[in-house]
Amino acid sequence: MCAGRTLTAMDRDEQMVSEFIAGREVPEIAARYGVAEAYVDRVIEQASLKPARRSRDWSLNPLGNRLLYSVLIALVVNLATDTWFGWVVGAALLMLTSAIVTAGRNR
C-alpha cells in the first residue's frame, strides 16, 4: 500500500476476496482487517455470485453479429463470383439465421 493512501471499502473487500482465494482462512482475514467474520463471509459470497464478465459474445444471438456475418459472407461471395449475387446470399442468410435464433428463443 502506498504511503498516505487509505483503503476504500471496495479496495478492502477486493483484497479480502483475493486473500481468501490465495488460501487464507476467514478468521485470519477478519482479524487482519478488523471486521467481523460474518462480514468477510458475506463479501466472499457476494464475490462468488457475481457473473464472470464475458469479453465478447461472438454467437449468432445478437442481431449485430448476424448482420456482420451476413455482410462479410456476401462480400466474399461477391468477390469470389465477381457478381452482385452475394448480396442475395447475405440477405437470405440473415433472414435464415434470424428465424432460427427467434425459433430457439420461443421454445
Side-chain angles (χ1 to χ4, degrees):
M1 181 164 62
C2 299
R5 180 175 181 254
T6 59
L7 286 177
T8 64
M10 289 298 286
D11 291 338
R12 183 184 64 192
D13 292 351
E14 289 173 5
Q15 284 186 350
M16 282 188 233
V17 171
S18 65
E19 286 184 17
F20 180 77
I21 291 171
R24 287 212 165 119
E25 297 295 323
V26 172
E28 184 181 348
I29 296 170
R32 178 178 168 96
Y33 290 96
V35 295
E37 289 181 26
Y39 178 78
V40 176
D41 284 333
R42 185 172 51 88
V43 167
I44 292 169
E45 182 179 329
Q46 285 176 349
S48 67
L49 294 178
K50 288 182 183 176
R53 291 188 73 189
R54 293 175 54 182
S55 61
R56 197 77 173 120
D57 183 10
W58 297 103
S59 70
L60 291 175
N61 287 331
L63 176 62
N65 288 357
R66 290 192 305 268
L67 183 63
L68 175 68
Y69 297 150
S70 298
V71 168
L72 290 175
I73 289 171
L75 287 173
V76 168
V77 171
N78 279 342
L79 292 173
T81 62
D82 199 26
T83 64
W84 56 269
F85 183 68
W87 297 117
V88 174
V89 171
L93 184 64
L94 178 62
M95 288 189 300
L96 179 65
T97 56
S98 293
I100 291 169
V101 168
T102 302
R105 287 181 185 163
N106 290 337
R107 281 174 121 195

